Every structure is written in C-alpha cells, then in structure tokens.
Amino acid sequence: MSDQPALDYYRYRISRDPRRLIAWFNDNWAHSRRLRVICYLGGIAVIMLVLAWATLGRNLPDAESLLEYETPLPTVVRGIDGEIVNTYARERRVQLQYDDFPEKLIEAYLSAEDKTFFSHGGVDITGTLGAVIDYATKFGSGERAVGGSTITQQVAKNLLLGDEYSVTRKLKEMILATRIESVLTKQEILELYLNEIPLGRRSFGVQAAARAYFDKDVGDLELHEMAFLAILPKAPERYGRTRYHDMAIARRNFVLDQMVANDFISAEDGAAAKRMDLGLVQQRRERSADAGYFLEEVRRQLIDKFGETAEDGRNSVYSGGLWVRTSLDTELQDAARDALRAQLISYHGNRGFTKPIATLNPDNGSLTSQLASSNISINYKDWRVGVITGPGRIGFSDGEEYPLSGGPATLKPGDVVAAARSGNGYAIRGVPEVSGAFLAEAPQTGRILAMQGGFDSRLGSFNRATQALRQPGSTIKPFVYASALDQGMTPATQVPDQTFCVWQGANLGEKCFRNFGGGGGGVHTMRWGLEQSRNLMTVHIADDTGMDNVIKTFERVGIGKYDPYYSFALGAGETTVARMVNAYAALANWGRQNAGSVIDYVQDRDGKVIFRTDKRDCSSCNMPEWDGQPMPRFDISGKQVLDPRTAFQIVHMLQGVVTRGTAVRLRSLDLPLFGKTGTTNGPTNAWFVGGSPDIVAGMYVGFDQPRNLGGWVQGGNTAATIMKRFIEATPERWQAEDFVAPPGIRMVKIDRRSGKRVFDGTPSDEPTAAIIWEAFKPDTEPPRATRSDAIAAKRNEILELIRRGRQGAQEARARDRGDQPDDFVEEQGGIY
C-alpha cells in the first residue's frame, strides 16, 4: 500500500507531459518558422539516414564470416632434420594469438589509433565528427582527409571492404563496425587487427613487421620499437625509409606521449624511450637453404597438389599456412653444390668470360631497375650479377654503378654479367658455359637428399637433374647385364669382346659397333666386361639376352621406354639424372624401388597431416594396449622391379668398377662403393652413378646444347671426380659397412680372369688379385678349373704376346715406309 502513491504519480506524469508537449508544439507550429524548418530538415535527415542505412547495409559482407576467417599465411618448409629451410610467401605474415601480444604493444596501438577502443561500440562519434570536418575543409584540394576510423572500422576495411577512398565506403565501414562488435569480442577484434594490419616492407601484422624492421619477435621488442610499429598504419611505406627518419622519430615520440597521457607508461619510461634512435635493420633476406633447385621442385609439386592462391582452396601454397617436411639434407646439399661447381669451374679453366648470362633491353627503361626485377643473381664467392650500363661501366640491382675491368670489347649496354670486387671497381668473371646436374637419394626410401640442377638456380630455373633429357651412355649397361643374369648368364659367363655388326636394311646398310677408344678381341667374363665398360661385350650380351628383354628391364626400373635397337643398350636413348639415380637405388635396395620423393608429408595450419608420401598403413601401431601379438610393423615399401639376387650380383660387379675399372679414381676413398661411369659419343656427356648402401648419387657434365666436350673428357676423370669431392666433403656420412647379400646368394671363389671356380688360395680385394669372391645364384656356380684350362690359358697368353710382337714389328716397318700396316687397317675396319 505504501508504494501506491508513487505509482499514481508516475502514471500522472506519463500521461500529462506528452499532452503538454503536443500542445506546445501545436501552439508554436503556426507561429514559428524556425521550428518548421528544423523539423523539416530533421525529418529529411532521418529519412535519408534510414534510406542510406537500408541501402548501404543491405548487401554488405556478413560480419559473422569473421568468426571463420583465416589469415592468409605462407607455407613453411622444413628439411630432413626439422629445421626451417625456406618459406613460400609473397607477403610476410605470421599469425599470433591475443595472449602472444605484449601488453605494451597493444597499448601503443591503442594510443596511436583508438584510445577509446574498449568503450565504444565500433564507431567513435567524436573521431567521426573530426573526420567529417577535416574532409569538408580538404574537399576539392586533392589531399586525403583524416580517416577517423576506429580499430574495428579498420578491421572492416582491411578484411571485408577494401581501401576505396569515398564517403560511401566510410558509411559502409561504420555499419560493418557495429555489426562486428556484436559478433566478436574486443580481444578477438584486436587479434585480427594486429595480425592483418599492413605495416610496410611486405609485412602484414605486428610479428612480421617486428621481424622486417628489427629482426626480432614481438616478445623481444623494446618500448621505443613498439611505439614505432604503432605509427606504421598511418603511412606504412614511408616511416621505414631513411629520408623520413626525422618524421618517423616525431610521430613515434607523439605515440609515447600519448601512452604517458593514457597512464600506460610512466613519464620517465616515455622520456627514456624518446631518447632512443629508431634502430631499424636493413631489408633482411628471408632465411633459406641454398637449395634453389630442390625447393623449386617442392614448390612445383605443392602447387600441383594444393593450388597456388586462396582462390584455389584452403590449403594453397601462398595463403594456406602449410607446414611441409622435406627430405632435404642441407649438409649433403651444400656438398653436392660445391662438388658440381668445382668441376664446372675446373673444366672452364682459364677460358675467362664467354658470353653474357642474359641481355636486357635499354629501351625498356633503367637497366639496373630491370635487373632488380629480373631476380637474376648468384651466390658464389664474392661474385655479383650486374648489367653493362656503358663502356667500362657496370650497374647493380641496388642502383649503384662502378668501373668494370676485364670485359671484352663485344660487351654492350644491357648485357648481364658476373663480376667481383677489384680495387675501386669490379672485374668481370666468367660463369662456366658448361653445365650439369647432381642428385643424391636414399635407396631404402626413395627420399631425395640433395639436388643441384646447374651452377646456380638464381641464374635460371631450368633443373637439369629432373628436366634435362640426356644420353646416359655406359651408365645404362648394368641393366643390360641384369637382363642377362635373369636369362641365365652369370658374372663368370664368357663373352666375346669381338666385332658385332647388324644389317639395318638396304637404305642404312650394315652397322658395326666398336669399343670406346677402339681395340678388342678375345673372350672375357661378364664381370670384366662391365668393369672395363666394353661396348662390344655389352652388345653381344644384349643380343644373347634379347633386346626385347633388355628394354623391358629399362622400362621396369623407370629409365625410359625405347625401341629394341642395340644402340639403346649402349645408352643412346634419353633419360634424366633423377631416373638413373632411382634405378641404381633399386640395385642397392635388393631390386626394390621406391619412387623418388622430395616431400615427406604436409600439414595444414591446424597441424593435420593432409598428404604423406609414405602411404603404408599400420593399423595396430596405435593400439592403446599391447595385445600380446607380435610387434606391429609397417610393410616393406616400394615395388620389386628386379630379382633381389640379380640386383646384388650387379652391385657386386659394380664394386669392381671402383676397385679396378673405369671408376678407379674412387678407390682411394677406401669405402664399399659401387657405381658406373658413362661417356657418350663426342664426348657430349660425362656421367657417374653409384654410391653406398645408404646414399646413391648421379651426376653428369655437358653443354645444354650438346657439343663436344673435348677428347680427354670421360666419365671416370670428370663425373667420378664430382662424386669423390662430394664424399670427401661429408666423410662422416659414409660408413664402412659393405653391401649385404640377400637370401639365395652364394659367394664362391673364382679365378678373376677365367671365371673358373677355385678351391685353393685366398680371395683378395686387391685390384690385381687372381682370386676373388663372386656372387652366384644357386646351381649356377662355374665348375672347378682343370689342369687343361691352365695350359690353355697359358697357351693363349703366349700367342697373344707373339701377336703383339708381330704387330709391333709391322708398325715399325710401316712407319719407315710412311704408311699403315695391312692388319692395322683391317682391324680398324673390322671394329667399325
């Protein structure tokens, strides 16, 4: 009852006051023109505001989309040891959580951009009115007015609207800001803002900017550095430049004063920070392993799988934030790069400058600017890539020009060359015109450990390890021999090293093969033929085996698809270094081949594995408790492409190539190595492929447009030298454990020359050992040597000495007459 008078009072006022207001309005409407104008204008303003709100707000982006918004992030690439080796990014971006941002950094941005952020509802009326007045005073001047945007409005602009300069966009921004405030918390809005705000130097977000300007993480920034980052949203491409240093200092100090005024820092701390210089670092190069060819292959494969940009899907390379684990071994990569370069430089010798790296057109503007945009560079010693700007002048991508010495008179403006510092200028350097490739692989997994596709990937992206089709020469012979072993031959089978001719039809006539360097004769073991790389023996073996079987082996191990012509048994077909290495890896892995791979697995931004190269399943590996059964294991990986016994027999013979054959240059390393050299006609290519039980590598040297390398060049003295340098640079990676024989192999003592089985004596690894261990399949071992065999061998040896003596006498008489002996002409004719 006591509350009833109060209720009656309020009912009375609610009914009485509006009636008095209406009465006052009616009395003054007819007599006051000012009231009528104000009401008309107010009504029009309200109507326009409602219409504008309805019109502009109708088709705006949905603010709730920010709940699922994902910052575009670069792809991070890691090596075999888990260390970051590269990033694929067109912008610098790093995403942090709100709790990762230092409190003083947040306060610096609030002081610089929006001090009422935690109290307004998305739009700061005072700031907006100030922006309207500033816009009105600058209207028509061409000068951009102060935005007056809150942090929420900037999020709306950056993520949903774009940076169009118009009143319409500003109104849309205000509408969206109020909607965003109803969807996200203040902390979520700040997190988006601090991760997305453009801050110059291709940096988006404060962490990327901290790295770009100070080479620090945000947690390591000092107060004056935080204040500097807070000034960047106003002019991100200006304050970081040297010529605007004083302007940046003044703006930074203003932010510090605002932090003091807002009680974020003490006056003493503000004054101390103002005394600090900016302390900006120069443009920093993103950390990356010097493995351009390898990393470009990774990038190409990722784009094929996931797309390049955000339009291609959530997991695209340049915005998906992928984490990629690769097989790149940086130690082996550096060794591969240096070994290949050393041999290319050695071959180049004292030739000096040969030709420009590229040529720019002076009619297209500044040559140094063109060079900067071309991305041509080099990472070798102190060399730099520059462009000829005039007679005896060279310019670089930073715009600087210097005197140039040592260049030929044929150089003209626009020619891109390499040069090194010399006195007050630069001296020209010759990039080798000859090129080549190197690739190393782990045979048990197929993981590619190192890849060098030329002298330097910065000079051109063409990857000779995977893209260059070259004739492999004699490096293909082990697979001819493997076909023969599958057809019943053995390493001790006797094969003629004698003339082999084929009738090719009326148009082509007869084709006769020859050994490299000529010569030939006699009958020898298969092992000897492979160790000495005898062409005639290889063709005889291919003929006995059947070329159809040989080319099936080539195709089965992935070398290539060829027609059944004998020349392909000698390496006349085209293939790549990557294919040859992968085929040799199958030999080292008991005939089981794993596809070569550069990517181990890929994770999305949330850590979920979305791609694995190794797709083997192990359903019981993650059981909560052991069920008492045998330990679960992965299945063996790869595909069986060769008989394990055949593969081991070939490896065992190829060890002889290193011990006493064409790759004897590697014998001094005293390691259990296998391999094969190759030299194609010309010679145009010099090859070596081989390695250890754990690492198989392949390499070649040759001109991109094949031409003669010089008569002295062979796989043994050129390509095998690269392999030797590679191993010497990484000694701890090469173990002394020998290749293990698979089940079904019998090791038998034989006479190395005759291939006959022996029971006396001790086998030796010495190059000239008479008795060696040889690998045989069951029931294929040769019979024991007899006394008659020894007598026949001695007789043949005596006859060979007599023949050589007679030939020497004939040659001497021919030199006296000034012509060639008849049997010399006949022998050469027979070989060809």
Side-chain angles (χ1 to χ4, degrees), residues 435-711:
S435 195
F438 186 108
L439 188 143
E441 180 179 317
Q444 289 79 20
T445 60
R447 301 167 86 192
I448 295 174
L449 307 173
M451 181 190 298
Q452 188 71 13
F455 191 84
D456 196 319
S457 62
R458 300 163 188 82
L459 300 175
S461 61
F462 182 68
N463 189 343
R464 296 161 186 82
T466 59
Q467 296 175 295
L469 291 172
R470 313 290 295 201
Q471 292 181 332
S474 295
T475 58
I476 208 169
K477 289 178 181 176
F479 302 96
V480 178
Y481 283 62
S483 300
L485 294 175
D486 285 340
Q487 297 301 314
M489 292 186 179
T490 76
T493 297
Q494 296 287 316
V495 180
D497 184 26
Q498 297 167 0
T499 301
F500 187 92
C501 297
V502 179
W503 176 254
Q504 302 179 106
N507 293 331
L508 297 177
E510 188 176 54
K511 165 70 174 178
C512 289
F513 294 89
R514 69 179 183 89
N515 287 318
F516 182 83
V523 178
H524 306 278
T525 64
M526 277 183 59
R527 166 178 283 278
W528 186 86
L530 188 56
E531 289 177 353
Q532 303 303 319
S533 196
R534 306 300 284 181
N535 289 348
L536 291 176
M537 292 181 67
T538 303
V539 177
H540 276 287
I541 290 170
D543 183 58
D544 292 342
T545 303
M547 275 305 300
D548 286 337
N549 293 322
V550 171
I551 63 171
K552 286 178 183 177
T553 300
F554 292 165
E555 183 175 353
R556 197 163 61 248
V557 298
I559 293 174
K561 297 181 180 181
Y562 308 119
D563 294 325
Y565 300 141
Y566 292 106
S567 58
F568 291 131
L570 301 179
E574 292 183 331
T575 188
T576 66
V577 173
R579 294 182 201 168
M580 290 304 298
V581 171
N582 196 236
Y584 272 70
L587 293 176
N589 195 37
W590 288 3
R592 199 165 190 90
Q593 188 175 48
N594 296 280
S597 65
V598 292
I599 299 173
D600 290 347
Y601 59 86
V602 180
Q603 295 170 280
D604 65 13
R605 65 173 67 216
D606 301 319
K608 178 183 177 182
V609 176
I610 57 177
F611 171 79
R612 274 196 312 151
T613 295
D614 186 352
K615 295 181 173 59
R616 292 176 298 164
D617 187 30
C618 186
S619 57
S620 300
C621 288
N622 294 324
M623 66 175 67
E625 294 182 2
W626 180 47
D627 59 4
Q629 299 300 311
M631 182 73 70
R633 299 183 185 278
F634 284 105
D635 293 333
I636 299 175
S637 64
K639 179 182 179 182
Q640 197 73 45
V641 294
L642 292 171
D643 184 322
R645 300 168 301 174
T646 297
F648 180 79
Q649 286 179 297
I650 294 297
V651 168
H652 193 59
M653 285 193 284
L654 290 178
Q655 287 185 277
V657 174
V658 174
T659 302
R660 54 188 156 264
T662 57
V664 70
R665 184 176 297 263
L666 301 176
R667 188 175 67 203
S668 62
L669 295 173
D670 195 25
L671 289 169
L673 301 175
F674 81 111
K676 184 71 184 73
T677 60
T679 310
T680 59
N681 288 340
T684 57
N685 301 284
W687 283 76
F688 177 82
V689 188
S692 72
D694 297 320
I695 302 174
V696 174
M699 59 226 69
Y700 85 89
V701 172
F703 292 98
D704 287 342
Q705 297 299 320
R707 68 174 191 261
N708 196 311
L709 289 166

Side-chain angles (χ1 to χ4, degrees), residues 91 125 218 236 245 276 296 353 490 635:
E91 300 167 343
I125 301 300
V218 290
H245 176 271
M276 302 295 292
E296 177 58 22
F353 179 84
T490 76
D635 293 333

Side-chain angles (χ1 to χ4, degrees), residues 26-40:
N26 290 334
D27 290 342
N28 287 278
W29 179 262
H31 303 97
S32 176
R33 182 180 180 184
R34 177 180 296 178
L35 177 62
R36 291 196 297 273
V37 171
I38 292 174
C39 289
Y40 285 138

